């Protein structure tokens, strides 16, 4: 099973047609069909169900697609790291992060490094903490921005960032709770709530609310707070989320109130222990350490 076979397989899976895949690969259909058949023979598994109009993946094919995508991505990343110049640092830096104002620190580090090495390119992969950690473990990204206690970082080196995320409630300016300086859990017990997927999965949100999910009126769960804020603006509900991610100034029609007791999250810039960083990634890490005051932990 080589890289080219996996590329052929992914093309057929994407196009759902061997003939269309052959066109995108600039090859004829017979050798592509032989390559797919050879891959199935090698694995001893049927990867596609061949219908009259299209081909679809079997369960084994679905498994291979996920792994093949990771292998191709990692191969390209490795190739780019190896061919980077010994004189002018260039290449790619891969970062995974959820939504946070702390991304500004990541951007500041990239901007400083850009002045010295303008040929470094950056890739930001969005995802919650679980997704970011999985990509770190698989080597698909170099760094991750995570919200967690350092005791959970046995596999990582990390920098504790000099900022914390503040949780609160985003609401319309004319809403019932807009006149309050702080919002309590009790204030929200009878309100339609819009909540973060990640915070609800970890249970952190419900611990603060002092209620179980089935005891509350949760009308929407979100991954992207901007999209969820459109529901808030329509009067759909009260959004529990992070400060400084949505504009509440001017004529936005929205306001943000912090919660009490105070709820803040520490933020960590992490990378795998014993990882050999590319020159571009090592240079970026140096800039992050400068901005964070070198308060990193490495074992």
């Amino acid at each position: 099973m080589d890289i080219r076979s996996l590329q052929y397989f992914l093309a057929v899976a994407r196009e759902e047609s061997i003939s269309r895949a052959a066109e995108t690969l600039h090859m004829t259909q017979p050798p592509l069909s032989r390559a797919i058949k050879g891959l199935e023979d090698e694995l001893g598994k049927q990867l596609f169900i061949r219908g009259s109009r299209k081909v679809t993946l079997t369960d084994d094919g679905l498994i291979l697609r996920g792994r093949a995508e990771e292998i191709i991505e990692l191969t390209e990343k490795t190739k780019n790291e190896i061919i980077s110049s010994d004189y002018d640092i260039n290449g790619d830096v891969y970062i995974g992060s959820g939504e946070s104002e702390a991304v500004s620190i990541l951007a500041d580090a990239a901007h400083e490094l850009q002045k010295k090495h303008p040929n470094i390119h950056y890739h930001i992969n969005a995802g919650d903490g679980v997704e970011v950690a999985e990509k770190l473990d698989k080597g698909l990204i170099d760094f991750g921005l995570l919200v967690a206690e350092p005791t959970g970082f046995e596999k990582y080196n990390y920098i504790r960032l000099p900022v914390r995320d503040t949780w609160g409630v985003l609401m319309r300016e004319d809403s019932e709770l807009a006149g309050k300086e702080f919002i309590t859990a009790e204030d929200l017990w009878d309100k339609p709530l819009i909540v973060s997927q990640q915070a609800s999965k970890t249970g952190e949100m419900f611990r603060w609310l002092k209620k179980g999910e089935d005891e509350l009126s949760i009308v929407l769960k979100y991954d992207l707070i901007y999209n969820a804020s459109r529901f808030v603006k329509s009067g759909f509900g009260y959004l529990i989320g992070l400060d400084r991610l949505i504009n509440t100034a001017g004529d936005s029609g929205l306001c943000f109130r912090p919660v009490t007791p105070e709820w803040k999250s520490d933020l960590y810039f992490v990378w795998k222990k014993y990882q050999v960083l590319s020159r571009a990634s090592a240079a970026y890490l140096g800039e992050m350490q400068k901005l964070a005051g070198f308060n990193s932990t490495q074992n």
Side-chain angles (χ1 to χ4, degrees):
M1 184 169 60
D2 57 26
I3 295 298
R4 179 168 295 180
S5 296
L6 294 178
Q7 290 172 328
Y8 289 170
F9 164 78
L10 288 175
V12 175
R14 181 177 61 250
E15 299 296 332
E16 297 184 331
S17 165
I18 292 179
S19 60
R20 287 198 300 271
E23 290 176 8
T24 64
L25 294 167
H26 305 291
M27 62 188 298
T28 59
Q29 185 173 337
L32 178 56
S33 296
R34 288 195 296 271
I36 296 301
K37 182 61 168 59
L39 184 58
E40 290 180 321
D41 290 344
E42 180 182 354
L43 296 174
K45 297 287 186 179
Q46 181 179 350
L47 301 174
F48 292 101
I49 300 171
R50 293 157 175 81
S52 58
R53 293 181 176 271
K54 67 177 183 178
V55 297
T56 56
L57 289 167
T58 63
D59 290 343
D60 291 315
L62 288 169
I63 294 172
L64 180 61
R65 183 178 66 181
R67 293 290 184 262
E69 288 172 346
E70 293 170 1
I71 291 168
I72 297 299
E73 185 176 353
L74 187 56
T75 299
E76 290 300 314
K77 180 173 178 285
T78 303
K79 182 174 71 175
N80 291 336
E81 290 173 356
I82 291 173
I83 65 176
S84 63
S85 168
D86 289 334
Y87 302 99
D88 177 30
I89 298 178
N90 59 69
D92 298 272
V93 176
Y94 294 82
I95 306 168
S97 172
E99 293 181 296
S100 171
E101 174 63 19
V103 173
S104 298
I105 297 179
L106 276 60
D108 289 343
H111 185 225
E112 287 301 311
L113 194 57
Q114 185 184 49
K115 297 174 184 177
K116 295 175 283 188
H117 302 291
N119 292 321
I120 295 177
H121 303 283
Y122 300 86
H123 306 261
I124 301 292
N125 291 266
D128 62 23
V130 173
E131 293 168 333
V132 170
E134 286 179 350
K135 289 181 178 179
L136 274 172
D137 292 343
K138 292 175 180 176
L140 299 176
I141 56 177
D142 303 307
F143 306 106
L145 181 63
L146 296 178
V147 179
E149 293 298 323
T151 52
F153 288 173
E154 293 85 358
K155 297 183 291 186
Y156 309 116
N157 296 317
Y158 62 87
I159 299 171
R160 181 172 178 173
L161 298 183
V163 295
R164 301 175 77 198
D165 274 338
T166 299
W167 289 83
V169 180
L170 183 72
M171 65 191 84
R172 285 170 55 111
E173 287 183 332
D174 60 358
S175 65
E176 178 185 343
L177 300 179
K180 296 176 65 73
E181 184 178 0
F182 298 97
I183 305 299
T184 67
E186 290 79 3
D187 291 330
L188 300 174
W189 285 353
D190 62 346
K191 299 294 187 294
L193 301 181
I194 299 172
V195 303
S196 157
Q197 291 271 18
Q198 181 177 357
S200 62
K201 281 190 291 189
T202 63
E204 185 178 13
M205 180 170 295
F206 300 117
R207 285 192 292 273
W208 180 83
L209 284 164
K210 297 179 286 189
K211 292 272 188 182
E213 183 172 354
D214 58 351
E215 300 176 280
L216 299 163
S217 176
I218 296 175
V219 295
L220 178 69
K221 290 185 178 182
Y222 67 87
D223 288 319
L224 298 175
I225 195 170
Y226 176 81
N227 292 342
S229 74
R230 302 301 88 189
F231 283 80
V232 176
K233 195 164 186 176
S234 75
F236 192 65
Y238 291 81
L239 183 151
I240 303 175
L242 299 176
D243 194 7
R244 297 185 293 176
L245 294 180
I246 298 297
N247 176 34
T248 57
D251 60 355
S252 68
L254 301 174
C255 63
F256 182 91
R257 299 289 181 263
V259 298
T260 186
E262 183 182 69
W263 177 11
K264 290 182 178 288
S265 295
D266 293 322
L267 294 153
Y268 300 88
F269 182 76
V270 306
W271 63 101
K272 283 178 67 176
K273 288 182 179 178
Y274 316 116
Q275 178 178 351
V276 179
L277 295 173
S278 68
R279 297 179 73 241
S281 297
Y284 181 73
L285 175 58
E287 291 298 332
M288 282 296 300
Q289 289 173 320
K290 291 178 188 176
L291 288 178
F294 293 94
N295 59 334
S296 62
T297 296
Q298 302 188 44
N299 296 317

